[in-house]
Amino acid sequence: MAEALRIDGKAAAERLRHRVAAEAARWMALHGEAPGLAVVLVGEDPASHVYVRNKGAATRAAGLVSVEHRLPATAAQDEVLALVRALNVDPAIDGILVQLPLPPQISAQAVTDAIDPAKDVDGFHQVNAGRLWTDGGGLVPCTPQGCMILLGEVHDRLAGLEALVLGRSAIVGKPMAALLLAADCTVTIAHSRSRDLPALCRRADILVAAVGRAQMVRGDWIRPGATVIDVGINRIDAGEGRSRLVGDVAYGEAAAVAGAITPVPGGVGPMTIACLLRNTMIAAGRRRGWGMPEL
Ligand code: GUN
């Protein structure tokens, strides 16, 4: 069988960011204001600093307003909550993102649930999580939304397909399952306690791997012709003091069996920030009465 189609997440993310930029420019011309995204970073986690810098750069590049708030690692939970409440009532701010992880003295759930659900561009608030499983009218978590957009590159219709989500996190696995169900897939959620993961995976027309274990999904776990979406980003030792990024799927083996597959890097990863900008536009359109952005 031919090698699987490689789903280019970098290119798809770039197209989405361009659509956001075009829509933001149209709004700027119409209303003289651009949507604003506030990112809150607490502490010194080096990976978080890189993410926040990248989010700020992407936000400004799309013509949106980026505001960053940095608090020391010693900040009290009340300080973070006070900042979130101030951003909730700031009319220039449409989206609020508190970068995770937070230092141990601060509860991520308490902070997330203090964010106005209408500004919760991560989609992590319990109101948005609940809406995802009910009317679907809330803000949707960025990584699963990005996965759905990539699936749309390969499939015109998902209805009736068998989908297997490997992983049950609140950030990826559960919302991913809700989105696939809303698209009329037959959805299974598998996890570390599931019996016979390879057999469960082999049933799937669509396999979404989000477990955070390097190259766990092997080629013989994959149904021939299936679409594989690899959410994992794992750094492994590449010898000689070097490291490299790999997904949760053994790419080479999987690409020999699958019909289509996302690479790591360059697959799901770039979609997450693009979907954050998309959510900021959606939140702004609703809050300011500018309507649904055309993305
Ligand atoms: N840390 C790693 N990924 C994310 C994300 O998508 N949102 C937030 N808030 N923190 C993160």
Side-chain angles (χ1 to χ4, degrees), residues 51 55 97-101 122 124 272:
Y51 288 139
K55 284 171 187 169
L97 180 148
V98 179
Q99 184 68 26
L100 304 177
D122 261 329
F124 295 167
T272 299

